Amino acid sequence: MRLLLHLALTTAIVLLSDVNGGSAGITSKFIRTEWPSIDIPLDNEAFAVPKGHNSPQQVHITQGDYDGKAVIISWVTPHEPGPSTVSYGTSADKFDFTAEGTVNNYTFYKYKSGYIHQCLVDGLEYDTKYYYKIGSGDSSREFWFQTPPKIDPDASYKFGIIGDLGQTYNSLSTLEHYMESGAQTVLFLGDLSYADRYQFIDVGVRWDSWGRFVERSAAYQPWIWSAGNHEIEYMTYMGEVVPFKSYLHRYPTPHLASKSSSPLWYAIRRASAHIIVLSSYSPFVKYTPQWEWLREELKKVDREKTPWLIVLMHVPIYNSNEAHFMEGESMRAAFESWFVRYKVDVVFAGHVHAYERSYRISNLHYNISSGDCFPVPDKSAPVYITVGDGGNQEGLAGKFRYPQPDYSAFREASYGHSTLEIKNRTHAFYHWNRNDDGKKVATDSFILHNQYWASNRRRRKLNKHYLRSVVGGLFA
């Protein structure tokens, strides 16, 4: 046992040094054989329409409250409204409860959407498998989901991280590999369907196909949504000038539960994590609603209950790729000091169609008159990770800037997804998995050390107990 403890501790120290800096960054030379970056044809089985007249389709769920005891279930009926009722229970053959939702639709140019149903199912028990049924008669469909464990600092939980997915064969590879990961909830980093790459009625058609595409996962576990630039859909030539119109009609979020004034930025707590979703394409400078909301939300974070503080955004703050270089600088100037002050553990972003992980660094001393413009190692800063490599039709961003900046720990232009497996209040296991010619390959992995408990004196008394739990995870 002493040997195992020593091995685990040594491994943790080596890997954590990679997070905090002090070693040369890696630019992977791997070049993968990829499928063409074109969308899958609409008649492909990946977009199959369920059988039955007016059968519910595009089913997806997201967290419906602040603490994980509710879900919002969404679906579309293509021909007529039908019932907006969800029947649910803890048995596959008996639905003891019902909840009533709402139904709406929208137009985009000459496209008219199906009937979009959204139903809040609340008052759920933690750590419980629920079965649910939607639709009516022979056209009804049944699914299930698992609620998270109760809010607790030592609740273990596994998140998946996907960004910029789209609906190509590469997208399908990413989604299928993710579904084999054992993760329980997706943290989605924006740019969903890439329907804005189309024109006229095809925009709406490709939103529908994407909803059917991700249903295989999103109907069974929550996807925590954030919006990217491809959700804006500001298309004046079609007379469409309301930003995020399709996205906001189709993908609700529990923003009111965190006192947000917009579905585009909000927060949830799940298991041992406090997750904050920001909007890169909504006003965020000082005194704007998003800025005011984030200032108050960060004050509410209780690291004694939810020690893991995770931020999601679309545009990366630190990015050494030629694609979208420096686009996140304005948000860095607005929020980076807060991320350091509140010891955010990790910031996930998409947008750049490649993978990159930073060391813990900050650039707080830079301003327009000081000239101190270089990031420096900072143990209080987050790790910044770009996972914009879901597989969309725009292809990979294969041109990194050279020399590789000191803050960049690892970077590679390949498709894939990540997982963050929280083990307890002190440690989490992170993996980036490359889609290597159709096979899932764990390429970048490390142990993430919790920022709050790393600097908390009480942690010294807990080291022995939690190190044993980490060893159990390493050698399970």
Side-chain angles (χ1 to χ4, degrees):
M1 185 63 185
R2 288 183 177 178
L3 177 61
L4 293 179
L5 287 170
H6 176 74
L7 176 60
L9 183 58
T10 302
T11 303
I13 291 172
V14 170
L15 292 171
L16 284 171
S17 69
D18 288 343
V19 174
N20 292 326
S23 59
I26 298 171
T27 299
S28 172
K29 303 299 184 183
F30 177 82
I31 300 176
R32 64 159 303 213
T33 302
E34 60 184 89
W35 291 296
S37 294
I38 56 174
D39 280 350
I40 301 171
L42 288 172
D43 60 357
N44 189 279
E45 63 180 359
F47 305 135
V49 177
K51 296 178 180 180
H53 173 70
N54 208 44
S55 183
Q57 59 173 266
Q58 306 175 50
V59 184
H60 56 90
I61 66 175
T62 193
Q63 185 161 315
D65 65 353
Y66 198 53
D67 286 334
K69 296 189 72 175
V71 296
I72 302 171
I73 302 175
S74 304
W75 70 96
V76 174
T77 50
H79 305 300
E80 55 195 59
S84 296
T85 305
V86 174
S87 301
Y88 65 100
T90 56
S91 174
D93 54 7
K94 186 179 181 182
F95 303 101
D96 293 321
F97 311 102
T98 60
E100 290 295 328
T102 61
V103 61
N104 210 330
N105 61 3
Y106 72 98
T107 58
F108 195 91
Y109 185 60
K110 295 181 180 180
Y111 165 85
K112 184 177 180 180
S113 75
Y115 296 92
I116 302 170
H117 303 254
Q118 295 170 355
C119 183
L120 175 67
V121 179
D122 57 7
L124 302 174
E125 298 295 326
Y126 284 124
D127 205 13
T128 301
K129 187 173 185 177
Y130 285 92
Y131 301 84
Y132 68 98
K133 181 171 72 171
I134 53 178
S136 60
D138 294 337
S139 298
S140 64
R141 302 180 67 197
E142 299 178 11
F143 305 89
W144 57 264
F145 62 87
Q146 178 85 23
T147 54
K150 68 178 181 179
I151 302 298
D152 184 88
D154 293 311
S156 60
Y157 203 75
K158 190 172 186 179
F159 293 99
I161 302 97
I162 300 175
D164 301 71
L165 185 58
Q167 43 192 307
T168 70
Y169 289 103
N170 294 304
S171 313
L172 180 59
S173 177
T174 296
L175 186 55
E176 289 178 338
H177 290 144
Y178 165 72
M179 292 173 64
E180 298 172 356
S181 70
Q184 298 156 280
T185 290
V186 170
L187 306 179
F188 196 86
L189 304 174
D191 284 359
L192 286 69
S193 67
Y194 284 77
D196 69 332
R197 301 269 297 177
Y198 292 83
Q199 294 182 325
F200 308 117
I201 65 171
D202 288 337
V203 175
V205 169
R206 277 297 179 172
W207 272 109
D208 289 330
S209 62
W210 195 81
R212 295 192 295 273
F213 178 66
V214 299
E215 181 188 271
R216 70 199 70 200
S217 170
Y220 297 93
Q221 60 176 233
W223 283 41
I224 308 304
W225 303 108
S226 61
N229 54 297
H230 285 281
E231 280 70 72
I232 298 173
E233 294 184 333
Y234 185 75
M235 298 177 168
T236 56
Y237 67 94
M238 291 194 295
E240 293 294 343
V241 295
V242 178
F244 303 104
K245 184 177 182 180
S246 301
Y247 172 77
L248 291 175
H249 273 90
R250 293 171 180 267
Y251 293 95
T253 65
H255 67 287
L256 295 177
S258 59
K259 296 181 172 54
S260 168
S261 60
S262 169
L264 298 172
W265 61 86
Y266 62 98
I268 61 169
R269 304 197 304 175
R270 195 166 185 88
S272 52
H274 194 120
I275 300 164
I276 292 176
V277 178
L278 298 178
S279 176
S280 298
Y281 298 100
S282 301
F284 54 76
V285 296
K286 194 171 184 179
Y287 307 127
T288 60
Q290 186 172 194
W291 185 91
E292 295 280 5
W293 173 84
L294 180 59
R295 181 177 63 171
E296 296 307 310
E297 183 64 27
L298 286 169
K299 294 175 184 177
K300 290 161 50 179
V301 177
D302 185 351
R303 305 297 279 271
E304 296 285 332
K305 295 180 179 178
T306 51
W308 294 95
L309 182 52
I310 301 168
V311 173
L312 313 181
M313 60 180 61
H314 185 63
V315 179
I317 284 179
Y318 287 98
N319 164 38
S320 66
N321 199 294
E322 291 286 359
H324 305 301
F325 183 64
M326 294 287 287
E327 286 184 20
E329 183 64 10
S330 54
M331 185 170 273
R332 185 201 65 77
F335 293 149
E336 185 179 29
S337 62
W338 289 352
F339 294 165
V340 174
R341 182 192 312 169
Y342 289 96
K343 296 183 182 295
V344 171
D345 290 292
V346 60
V347 176
F348 289 111
H351 198 39
V352 179
H353 301 164
Y355 173 78
E356 184 168 17
R357 171 175 60 87
S358 79
Y359 297 113
R360 293 197 185 279
I361 43 87
S362 67
N363 198 4
L364 301 181
H365 298 294
Y366 172 69
N367 60 57
I368 60 173
S369 60
S370 72
D372 298 328
C373 57
F374 298 101
V376 296
D378 189 336
K379 292 182 178 180
S380 296
V383 176
Y384 294 92
I385 302 179
T386 300
V387 192
D389 51 358
N392 66 80
Q393 63 167 269
E394 291 181 341
L396 291 169
K399 190 175 181 180
F400 287 104
R401 296 174 64 87
Y402 285 92
Q404 184 172 1
D406 291 341
Y407 68 75
S408 177
F410 184 91
R411 57 187 190 174
E412 179 178 310
S414 290
Y415 296 119
H417 74 277
S418 295
T419 58
L420 179 67
E421 185 175 6
I422 297 172
K423 301 301 291 186
N424 51 49
R425 74 184 71 190
T426 63
H427 293 85
F429 300 155
Y430 173 83
H431 299 270
W432 174 61
N433 301 283
R434 174 206 298 150
N435 299 344
D436 183 356
D437 299 326
K439 299 177 183 179
K440 184 182 73 174
V441 177
T443 306
D444 184 35
S445 305
F446 63 94
I447 295 177
L448 186 64
H449 204 171
N450 184 266
Q451 288 284 67
Y452 175 79
W453 286 94
S455 59
N456 192 303
R457 292 181 180 178
R458 287 177 56 196
R459 182 177 174 273
R460 298 173 185 173
K461 300 179 181 179
L462 298 167
N463 268 345
K464 185 176 181 180
H465 171 73
Y466 291 116
L467 187 54
R468 284 176 178 168
S469 68
V470 172
V471 171
L474 284 170
F475 296 97

